[in-house]
Every structure is written in structure tokens, then in C-alpha cells.
Amino acid sequence: QALTDLKNGMVDTLVATDVASRGLHISRLKHVVNYEFPNTIEVYCHRIGRVGRGGAQGWAHSYLSCAEAPLASGLVALLERAGQSVAPGVRALASGQAGAADAEDDAETSEASDCADGEAAPRDLRPGAAVRVVGLQGASDLNGSCGHICRPMPGGERWEVVLDAQGSAVKAVRPENLQLLLGGKITASCEGGLRTGSVVIVRGLQSAAVLNGACAHVRRRAPDGARWEVVLQSTGEVKSIRPENLEVAPPPAHSVGAGAAPGLAGEDGRGEGELHEEEEDDEEEDEIATE
């Protein structure tokens, strides 16, 4: 019945096992998604063969994690024979350059998130990037938490990260304790291009006109859901502003990241100062709204 509904257009998505990798001919099918990469390249060929049949257009999307590194070389060879482009990350897996440490990290967290491309170099971190917290000793309960970078902290030794869970908690984390996810992909934008890490310019305020023209980094949605918390670049103050008063600035020609300074781990190995919890005074976070 599920197959019949898919063929007739009653449903647009079918979640299936390898049972559906052979013998299905559905002309309206345009995409196959390998959420879990198959155990062999042969099964991979059968799966993706459900689209692009008879000269029709079709696309196959596959999540290939570090745990599937032994299959990467066969996949690269197959894609090259078919004249398809090969992502740099897949080539790195095939050549063994991804590293054993990456494979171990991915195996431990594959159920929670996509495979990271490895420990982030300072130059790779940037506002908006998806990251995972790793290697903390003094706050080990945060290890494995995912979030998005808001901004580089003053002093250049840490990044402000808004966690996806824990009530969107804000933490200041060293770059060596941040691991890029999804190749450092920037989080999807919301209304008007606003998202964690966006650089914005305040416009059109009447009751607090002194803030007009100020640049800020978007942190997160305010608790009321109608405003966004932004951190002013000039003072570091946090303001809650309506989206219609925030203009997304064009991306800079280059980015300057935190993390150029060496780590400051304590002598006892506990990593003193590896994470600063953001201290906020609700009375100082003005609610800014248009009149």
C-alpha cells in the first residue's frame, strides 16, 4: 500500500530498508537519500539506481561518516567512472587523511549528530558555524553538546557558543574544544536572514534612537519569541530587538577568528579557564521595541 501511495502521489516520502533497493520503478521518484550508508558499494549502486532511470533526472544524497571510511575508496572510484564530482571530505576519507581520532569521535556520536570534519582550526571557526563541544575536563557534562557560534569573545581566546539544548545556554569556549559539524556549515537563516552569528545593523528605533546604526551579532531568539537577542560589537551589551529593526549586513571579505593565543590549561590538567559561562544581568538587557 505504501508503494502504491508513493506511485500515485498520495505520499511524497517513503522510508525503507534495503528491501526497496531493487525492482522499484517509480517514474516520479527524483531523490534517494542514504541516511545510513550501505554496507557495500554494490548495495549503494542498487539503492541509487531507483532514480535517474531511462534518461530521467535524479539525485542521490548520502551521509558518509568516518565510520564508513573503508568504503570511501570504492565510492570515489565509482563516482569518478560516472563522471561525478567527489567532495574533498570523501577523498580525505579514502586516502586515510581523516585520522583515527575523527573516526573514534564519530563512532561515539553518530546517533546524536553528523560526522564532524575534525577538530577545528582557529581559521575555520566563524560566526554561524555549527559546532560540537569536545574535550572539556572542568565541565565534562557539556562534552557532546551541539550549538552554533555567535561571535569571537573579546581577547580572542574563546568563542561565544549558543547551545542547541539546555535552554539555548550561552557558553564561552576555547577553539580547541570546538569541533566543526557538517563541514562548518552555517546554520539555516530564519526571518529576514537572521540566525545565530549574523552580523546586523540596528535601524529604525525611535525610543532608543541612539542605537540606530550600531553593528551587532545575533545571539538567539529572545524568550518572548518576538525579538532577537543581539550583542553590540562596540560595547558587548545584549539587547532584545524586533526583527524589523535589524538589517543583515553583507558578509565581510575575510573573517578574523578567536584562538590565536595558546591554551591556558592549568598545571593540574583540569583545563582551568577552558570554558566561561556567560554571566547576564536581566536588568541590564534592555527590551528594545519600536514605538
Side-chain angles (χ1 to χ4, degrees):
Q1 182 63 48
L3 289 175
T4 299
D5 290 343
L6 183 65
K7 292 178 179 179
N8 295 337
M10 298 295 293
V11 297
D12 291 325
T13 304
L14 176 67
V15 180
T17 64
D18 282 334
V19 172
S21 65
R22 295 171 181 251
L24 295 184
H25 305 283
I26 303 175
S27 58
R28 63 186 298 271
L29 193 62
K30 300 297 182 183
H31 298 270
V32 167
V33 179
N34 288 308
Y35 184 75
E36 291 184 352
F37 200 81
N39 294 326
T40 67
I41 297 299
E42 179 183 2
V43 175
Y44 170 82
C45 292
H46 287 299
R47 286 189 185 182
I48 68 173
R50 299 312 95 207
V51 295
R53 305 179 67 85
Q57 282 191 322
W59 294 266
H61 313 268
S62 299
Y63 291 87
L64 186 68
S65 73
C66 301
E68 283 86 40
L71 298 170
S73 59
L75 178 61
V76 169
L78 177 66
L79 293 174
E80 289 180 339
R81 287 199 303 270
Q84 301 293 311
S85 61
V86 181
V90 177
R91 289 193 184 278
L93 283 177
S95 61
Q97 295 177 0
D102 290 354
E104 180 179 351
D105 286 343
D106 182 71
E108 292 176 352
T109 60
S110 58
E111 295 182 359
S113 62
D114 295 284
C115 174
D117 286 344
E119 191 169 303
R123 65 180 180 276
D124 296 327
L125 297 174
R126 59 196 185 280
V131 293
R132 180 171 58 218
V133 179
V134 296
L136 292 178
Q137 299 181 37
S140 58
D141 58 308
L142 293 178
N143 289 331
S145 299
C146 296
H148 291 85
I149 292 177
C150 173
R151 59 173 182 143
M153 297 295 292
E157 294 182 358
R158 293 177 174 82
W159 288 89
E160 183 178 277
V161 178
V162 180
L163 300 181
D164 294 340
Q166 302 190 32
S168 298
V170 178
K171 304 293 180 180
V173 188
R174 289 183 174 180
E176 58 265 30
N177 296 117
L178 294 175
Q179 196 173 52
L180 285 172
L181 295 176
L182 303 175
K185 180 180 179 180
I186 301 297
T187 181
S189 60
C190 298
E191 51 189 323
L194 297 175
R195 62 188 176 209
T196 298
S198 293
V199 177
V200 293
I201 303 172
V202 181
R203 302 287 193 194
L205 291 178
Q206 299 181 37
S207 60
V210 67
L211 293 179
N212 289 331
C215 291
H217 279 98
V218 174
R219 175 185 277 180
R220 59 187 174 184
R221 282 189 181 274
D224 64 4
R227 296 174 172 83
W228 286 82
E229 287 184 7
V230 300
V231 185
L232 300 181
Q233 292 185 357
S234 58
T235 63
E237 292 179 281
V238 178
K239 305 292 182 181
S240 294
I241 303 180
R242 294 185 182 277
E244 57 264 31
N245 296 115
L246 297 173
E247 176 185 314
V248 177
H254 65 280
S255 59
V256 179
L264 301 175
E267 294 180 359
D268 61 356
R270 291 177 54 83
E272 295 176 3
E274 60 191 352
L275 178 145
H276 284 178
E277 185 163 357
E278 186 74 10
E279 296 180 358
E280 300 177 359
D281 188 340
D282 292 337
E283 295 181 356
E284 293 181 355
E285 293 186 5
D286 302 331
E287 290 290 325
I288 306 297
T290 56
E291 295 179 347

